[in-house]
Amino acid sequence: MRSTTLCLPVQGNPAERILLGMKKTGFGRGKYNGFGGKIEDGETPEAAAVRELAEECGIVAAESDLEPVGRLVFTFPARPEDDHDVQLYIIRKWQGQPAETSEMKPVWFAVGDIPYNEMWADDSYWLPAVLKGKKVSGEVYFSEDNEEVDGITIRTE
């Protein structure tokens, strides 16, 4: 199981807009998602989240500006090498403007216009709670096609 991060840049408190990236390469290609990836050896989850933000959309953030909002474990039966344990963050403050990279194309969405039908199938279960200021934890089990959710447990606080 890989340890990863997912960071969601938002504007407003509570969130009014969210920056999502259209994944252009690799696993998840063609889906909108937050920004994040694998935690490298010797790297903290916060350092990984900040690094991935810069790599995937060009914005620069401080680790101290990350707001931890949860942890989710994803299981992909058809691709166990893609199972991962995700540390979730919201960020409201950064430097620079989002820019397209070779991996992601960033797009701002009003919270009411989030394109859940173009995202991972689990996102609609937990993202609304996070955007309302709640913390989440849980497990997501995908079906054999790696697209549909076969089982999910989400807890909020």
Side-chain angles (χ1 to χ4, degrees):
M1 175 145 325
R2 295 184 294 163
S3 293
T4 62
T5 65
L6 187 64
C7 190
L8 303 160
V10 299
Q11 293 179 329
N13 193 3
E16 297 169 6
R17 292 193 335 150
I18 183 171
L19 184 67
L20 298 173
M22 172 56 75
K23 185 94 161 80
K24 296 165 52 176
T25 62
F27 193 56
R29 182 176 175 266
K31 294 182 187 314
Y32 281 107
N33 202 3
F35 303 91
K38 185 178 176 185
I39 299 171
E40 303 293 341
D41 290 339
E43 192 174 42
T44 65
E46 294 80 11
V50 166
R51 175 183 51 78
E52 291 284 352
L53 271 173
E55 290 175 1
E56 293 182 346
C57 71
I59 61 177
V60 178
E63 291 179 34
S64 60
D65 290 323
L66 294 170
E67 299 174 32
V69 294
R71 179 178 177 202
L72 297 172
V73 175
F74 294 92
T75 302
F76 295 92
R79 287 181 62 136
E81 69 275 14
D82 289 315
D83 291 355
H84 55 283
D85 173 358
V86 182
Q87 300 292 324
L88 301 170
Y89 299 95
I90 289 278
I91 191 154
R92 299 174 199 280
K93 181 177 157 188
W94 58 85
Q95 295 178 349
Q97 294 298 315
E100 186 170 352
T101 65
S102 61
E103 192 173 347
M104 302 280 268
K105 179 180 180 182
V107 179
W108 282 105
F109 292 96
V111 167
D113 296 329
I114 294 173
Y116 288 109
N117 62 331
E118 297 178 64
M119 298 172 72
W120 286 101
D122 64 284
D123 291 346
S124 64
Y125 290 92
W126 60 267
L127 184 55
V130 166
L131 294 174
K132 289 178 183 171
K134 295 184 179 189
K135 293 188 178 185
V136 299
S137 62
E139 300 82 32
V140 179
Y141 300 91
F142 280 88
S143 61
E144 289 294 326
D145 68 2
N146 289 328
E147 291 294 327
E148 303 298 319
V149 172
D150 198 32
I152 190 166
T153 302
I154 301 292
R155 294 169 292 283
T156 60
E157 55 178 82

